Amino acid sequence: MKILLTGSSGQVGRMLSARLPALGFEVREFDRANGQDVNDPAALDSALVDIQAVVHLAGQPTEAPWSVIREANIDGALAVFEGARRAGIRRVVFASSNHAVGFTPHSSEELDAATPPRPDTLYGVSKVFGEALGRYYADRYGMQVACLRIGSCSEHPRDGRSLATWLSPDDCARLIQACLGSSELTYALIWGVSANRYRWWSLAAGAEVGYRPLDDAAITRPDLDVEDRRDIDAVVGGEYTGASYDIDEVVRGSEGDRT
Ligand SMILES: NC(=O)c1ccc[n+]([C@@H]2O[C@H](COP(=O)([O-])OP(=O)(O)OC[C@H]3O[C@@H](n4cnc5c(N)ncnc54)[C@H](O)[C@@H]3O)[C@@H](O)[C@H]2O)c1
């Protein structure tokens, strides 16, 4: 299967570019770092020729002034879904985020992947928008869409929180492989998380498309302390729910305007 990988030069994009070919995918890379912008319809249309599915990672991955979020995550997501539709591409995997539901408390009960929106930032709001776009393109145009509420996708678990939220690079590739190969997919919200023993999130929706994670942050980083999660971890979004991720703080600390 030939796929377009947007955001291919980013953290997650590089992990996937390194792994998906070995899983049988021909990957066409697309990233602003290489002069390709999803908001440039001509560039996107030519990149979508002969492509069977899109994995859309490109975007602003943290809180930022609205003008930045809007251009990268709102306009950008619409451009990609619309470009895929124009090109007759039936399947899109969209990188959403746990911050779409960041103010949701977690408990000993695993949270379902279809937990209702409860964004913790404008960034999280933009991910809710992307999920809604996916639902819309699935319902109106019959596209097959998987929205992945990714936890913390990094080479290694970094801190106590990631004992719950880590998505290993190999499991990330397994998840994309499952979403691209599933005959069951119509529209799905799926937690992007490894088989962490301390996870807060259910693997059930992933299992429905054939995702079988193999990694566990507690095995990869036995030195991390599961108790070291403090009160920030009473809700899913962790530090994103705190004052330093308040948009006023972000705008004060940047050159961007707030529109
Ligand atoms: N890394 C994580 O743990 C994590 C967690 C939750 C969600 N996500 C989501 O996964 C995706 C990838 O995250 P990441 O950590 O690799 O971020 P990243 O910033 O490392 O990569 C994003 C890439 O997108 C590119 N990009 C941005 N705007 C673009 C545009 N208009 N056109 C083309 N390319 C553009 C950037 O150049 C960059 O290479 C993002 O959508 C992010 O919100 C990541």
Side-chain angles (χ1 to χ4, degrees):
M1 185 189 273
K2 212 185 261 188
I3 66 163
L4 186 74
L5 183 66
T6 74
S8 52
S9 302
Q11 180 170 301
V12 179
R14 289 194 308 274
M15 292 170 187
L16 290 176
S17 295
R19 288 168 175 80
L20 290 178
L23 299 176
F25 297 98
E26 195 175 319
V27 177
R28 187 177 294 165
E29 301 189 354
F30 190 99
D31 198 293
R32 199 158 54 181
N34 304 327
Q36 303 157 303
D37 197 308
V38 294
N39 288 313
D40 173 352
L44 189 60
D45 284 350
S46 76
L48 287 169
V49 171
D50 289 335
I51 288 293
Q52 276 99 48
V54 177
V55 177
H56 178 45
L57 307 175
Q60 166 63 29
T62 53
E63 185 61 314
W66 180 244
S67 54
V68 176
I69 297 281
R70 184 181 56 206
E71 191 265 335
N73 294 5
I74 303 287
D75 297 343
L78 179 58
V80 167
F81 276 103
E82 189 52 21
R85 185 195 65 79
R86 272 199 308 275
I89 294 165
R90 310 256 314 139
R91 192 162 293 215
V92 175
V93 179
F94 169 68
S96 184
S97 168
N98 68 93
H99 299 292
V101 297
F103 273 115
T104 309
H106 59 77
S107 64
S108 51
E109 294 278 302
E110 283 186 359
L111 283 172
D112 191 272
T115 296
R118 205 163 167 183
D120 55 26
T121 42
L122 293 177
Y123 165 66
V125 170
S126 75
K127 293 300 183 182
V128 172
F129 173 80
E131 293 175 356
L133 267 184
R135 179 88 255 189
Y136 170 67
Y137 276 84
D139 286 338
R140 178 163 289 275
Y141 301 111
M143 284 169 61
Q144 297 141 1
V145 179
C147 297
L148 310 180
R149 289 179 168 172
I150 298 171
S152 312
C153 187
S154 53
E155 287 295 340
H156 304 286
R158 294 195 186 110
D159 50 22
R161 178 173 182 270
S162 62
L163 287 170
T165 62
W166 189 48
L167 174 64
S168 76
D170 287 343
D171 281 340
C172 185
R174 288 181 191 108
L175 177 55
I176 298 294
Q177 179 186 32
C179 292
L180 293 175
S182 171
S183 55
E184 302 301 314
L185 182 65
T186 51
Y187 174 81
L189 279 170
I190 298 172
W191 286 115
V193 66
S194 281
N196 304 320
R197 71 192 60 182
Y198 298 118
R199 70 179 180 274
W200 304 317
W201 303 325
S202 168
L203 296 172
E208 280 178 31
V209 296
Y211 171 51
R212 307 270 180 275
L214 296 179
D215 292 319
D216 176 350
I219 291 178
T220 306
R221 286 288 310 273
D223 56 309
L224 290 174
D225 183 359
V226 71
E227 299 306 325
D228 179 29
R229 293 188 286 176
R230 297 174 296 273
D231 56 347
I232 56 169
D233 284 335
V235 290
V236 162
E239 64 180 336
Y240 274 55
T241 60
S244 63
Y245 278 79
D246 180 84
I247 190 61
D248 291 328
E249 291 296 319
V250 171
V251 171
R252 266 200 289 279
S254 78
E255 298 296 316
D257 63 337
R258 182 179 181 185
T259 54

